[in-house]
Amino acid sequence: MIRRVLAMREAALALVVLALFAVFAFTVEGFADWFNLCEQSRHWIVPGMIAVPMTLIITTAGIDLSVGSMVALCGTVLGLLYRDAQWPIALAAMAAVLVGLSCGTLNGVVSSYLGIPPLVVTLATMALFRGVAMGLSQAEPVTGFPAGFRWLSQGDLFTIQGSGGPVGLPAPLVALVFAVLLGWIVMRRSWMGRYIEFIGDNETAARFAAIDTRLVKCGLYAACGAICGLAAIFHTALFATAKADTAQGLELSVIACVVVGGTRISGGRGTVIGTLFGLLIIGMLGFGLDMAEVDWLGSQHIVIFVGALVIVTAIFNEWMARWKGDHQ
């Protein structure tokens, strides 16, 4: 019975989310406050959106370490086009998405068609994209965005009067829900999802099965870049500032959500719904520890907890995969 529950990974993760929420709600004052949760959830949108294409990439046994740098570069381009080139904010936002698409395509072409390991490629482009953003902006922040643009991340879809004042549903949650739904359809309701898992499980066999593995993987990196461009819009709107040094460490948060959600880091199995639960676990863990003022590990206690959680979960994922293989 226990093994059957463990095999139902998404259900187990849902229980973990509920348990984590209950623990923090009863032990940390103010954690369960709707206003606090909504405000904190605005910071989960960007890693959550990017974690969806990252799930597909990692399922193919790939990885993209440049997502944080892509968000910074796309945000910088958006800000400079709006402030210096006097482009309409909508047109500047579209340009940011195109920049992200171009960066992701570069990662895909070099890793898929030139045969360079994606770890090496994206490690190099992580520095490249960040450096370009620094050079374009001269390391200076861009501010002065219009209120309508800032509403994308700071606004609410609707508000209701609560006991502590008006509370609302954050507008950017729509983008996260749409990204997760689209990713779930691709993974579980399309031929692309079968191809992705097949490539991650055995790429050589996938090629013999007439699957254009290079095109599939290149397309995934391009899609990840486009999502990074879209996420940069919400990231810039949230902080009302475009900076070249922003989103540092974002790749760790994204990969943590994917791995904690049950996707094998070695490829072959991925779950977008699990990634969503991973996002909730990582988000609530960071929020709860911050509110509890757990600082006995120093200012980087969140990173330490997340890193340890990723290691433990990756080991568990591999153990579960091997156990299932032995009992099939």
Side-chain angles (χ1 to χ4, degrees):
M1 181 65 181
I2 296 179
R3 289 180 175 179
R4 183 172 298 179
V5 172
L6 289 175
M8 299 173 58
R9 186 57 182 269
E10 287 82 2
L13 287 170
L15 293 177
V16 172
V17 170
L18 293 175
L20 196 61
F21 179 84
V23 168
F24 280 126
F26 283 106
T27 60
V28 179
E29 183 179 358
F31 176 85
D33 182 80
W34 177 255
F35 178 80
N36 290 338
L37 285 173
C38 286
E39 289 304 302
Q40 185 63 29
S41 69
R42 300 180 194 273
H43 297 271
W44 304 347
I45 303 302
V46 169
M49 290 175 63
I50 301 174
V52 173
M54 184 70 81
T55 300
L56 309 185
I57 289 175
I58 292 180
T59 303
T60 65
I63 199 157
D64 191 343
L65 300 178
S66 67
V67 291
S69 298
M70 278 195 282
V71 168
L73 176 57
C74 293
T76 298
V77 169
L78 187 157
L80 292 178
L81 289 177
Y82 173 73
R83 186 193 66 181
D84 297 345
Q86 300 294 305
W87 284 26
I89 191 65
L91 194 58
M94 291 176 60
V97 176
L98 289 176
V99 169
L101 177 62
S102 301
C103 293
T105 301
L106 174 63
N107 285 337
V109 169
V110 176
S111 61
S112 301
Y113 286 95
L114 299 184
I116 309 299
L119 178 65
V120 176
V121 174
T122 58
L123 185 63
T125 55
M126 177 175 67
L128 173 63
F129 299 153
R130 183 79 64 178
V132 172
M134 286 285 187
L136 290 175
S137 66
Q138 298 298 306
E140 294 182 359
V142 179
T143 57
F145 294 98
F149 174 75
R150 298 196 303 270
W151 179 88
L152 288 174
S153 285
Q154 300 178 14
D156 297 317
L157 292 176
F158 58 84
T159 58
I160 59 175
Q161 190 66 30
S163 58
V167 294
L169 184 67
L173 285 177
V174 175
L176 177 60
V177 171
F178 179 77
V180 171
L181 180 60
L182 181 60
W184 177 81
I185 292 174
V186 170
M187 281 296 293
R188 293 290 172 256
R189 291 293 182 269
S190 74
W191 55 267
M192 180 64 74
R194 295 190 294 273
Y195 283 8
I196 289 171
E197 291 193 330
F198 194 11
I199 291 171
D201 190 51
N202 192 326
E203 185 172 351
T204 301
R207 285 199 298 268
F208 278 109
I211 298 175
D212 192 340
T213 59
R214 295 183 299 180
L215 181 61
V216 171
K217 292 192 295 181
C218 184
L220 292 179
Y221 284 99
C224 185
I227 294 296
C228 284
L230 186 62
I233 298 173
F234 288 94
H235 187 273
T236 304
L238 178 62
F239 297 101
T241 305
K243 299 194 301 181
D245 61 348
T246 193
Q248 296 194 38
L250 177 61
E251 54 279 341
L252 172 62
S253 299
V254 171
I255 294 172
C257 294
V258 176
V259 175
V260 171
T263 298
R264 291 183 64 189
I265 197 68
S266 57
R269 182 186 186 278
T271 163
V272 173
I273 299 302
T275 294
L276 176 61
F277 286 131
L279 171 69
L280 295 176
I281 292 172
I282 298 297
M284 285 197 297
L285 184 63
F287 181 44
L289 292 176
D290 273 341
M291 290 199 68
E293 298 181 348
V294 177
D295 56 1
W296 47 271
L297 288 174
S299 61
Q300 298 298 315
H301 61 278
I302 302 298
V303 178
I304 295 174
F305 274 103
V306 170
L309 183 61
V310 170
I311 293 174
V312 173
T313 309
I315 294 173
F316 177 76
N317 289 344
E318 292 300 318
W319 177 82
M320 283 297 297
R322 293 172 183 174
W323 180 84
K324 288 181 180 180
D326 292 340
H327 289 78
Q328 284 181 347

